[in-house]
Amino acid sequence: MNATSTQTSPLGGRDLFWPPADELTEAAERIRARLGDWPPTHAPWRICLTAPDDANGGDLIIVADAQQHGEPVARWQVQGAGVIVAAAGRATLHLGGERYSLEGHLAEDWIPALAAFLDCGFAPHDALVLALAWRDGDETRGADAWPSDLARFPQVTGLPAAPQQAFARCPERLGLYPVLPTAEWVERVVGLGVKTVQLRRKTAAPGELAREIARCVAAGRAHDAQVFINDHWQLALEAGAYGVHLGQEDLHKADLAKLAAAGVRLGLSTHGYYEILTALHFRPSYVALGAVFPTTTKVMPTAPQGLARLARYVRLLDGVVPLVAIGGIDQQVLPQVLATGVGCAAVVRAVTEAADPADAISAMQRGFTP
């Protein structure tokens, strides 16, 4: 990269590519200029078109055939670098011991698009999803170049088969969605008129847990409320729960076909584009998008998404599947969350730590009134 481009680059004058490639840098700058304002990335990724002598944790090395490189691919990963194997409409990222496989369209500008989305602060696997959703010339069309047509997004490959029947649908806009620690809380909250709740009980003896879930299901039926059970899908199925909420790590453990056949609704957690595509593969009842803000209720695998990303996810998925915003949401920020167009917000401490839970619930429910 020459001195002039370093001074004028909207990407901070970093060496985006190795070896330096002026044409790719110019394309990346052109694309980045049309993607809007995003906080500067704290991870200065460098896309390597050929393998550097010494790979480092900021390198994404692009190769056409992993088998051709054999041992170096493993060594690069040990050194902290990522490897993207890209050819014939397929791109697979190997990073941090994980494998992210995508099948889609590789535009001529997919590599500079990847650089631009990385600069927007997206993790490599999410930036790769967006790069495969990019089409040459998108930066010249319309006022907003951000990919928002789901039909153009890639598919995640290598996933277990989805159940033959899709999961039963939830209402399109689930409204206020308290996530609660005990059956006592569930009974209290549905008694206040809340129609969607979740029991998230992580530790309990098996017998006690079964009794808690049965109480929650009974409370839901008594108040015509939709009760989801977090994680414990077998007990939820046995108790006849309305729905189950699972994290991405649970998808390989649960009998999804059995749940779908029983009419149990399924909610899935997601933390970015790659996990959203993974969730959609299983045709769930709703997709949870988070964490929107910092939260202390659980250890999160990713940094907070923020409102700008949430708005992008809603734009992509509105009308496709019911959406739930989750993570650090309280009465104060709820109006900003709902302004993104999402039809449901999950809350935890905003209810369980409220001075007057009934007043807090009433105030938040008013926010969902058209």
Side-chain angles (χ1 to χ4, degrees), residues 24 27-28 69 152 223 274 323-324 332 334 370:
L24 290 179
H69 290 82
R152 288 176 19 173
H223 295 277
Y274 188 89
L323 302 174
V324 176
Q332 183 177 357
L334 181 60

Side-chain angles (χ1 to χ4, degrees), residues 38 122 126 130 146-148 153 270-274 276 287-292 304-318 320-321 323 340 342:
W38 295 88
F122 285 84
D126 289 326
L130 290 164
W146 199 272
S148 59
F153 274 66
T270 68
H271 307 92
Y273 282 103
Y274 188 89
I276 286 171
V287 168
L289 307 166
V292 181
Q305 298 289 311
L307 291 168
R309 292 193 187 195
L310 176 62
R312 294 294 182 184
Y313 301 148
V314 172
R315 181 178 173 188
L316 177 68
L317 298 171
D318 189 36
V320 175
V321 62
L323 302 174
T340 67
V342 71

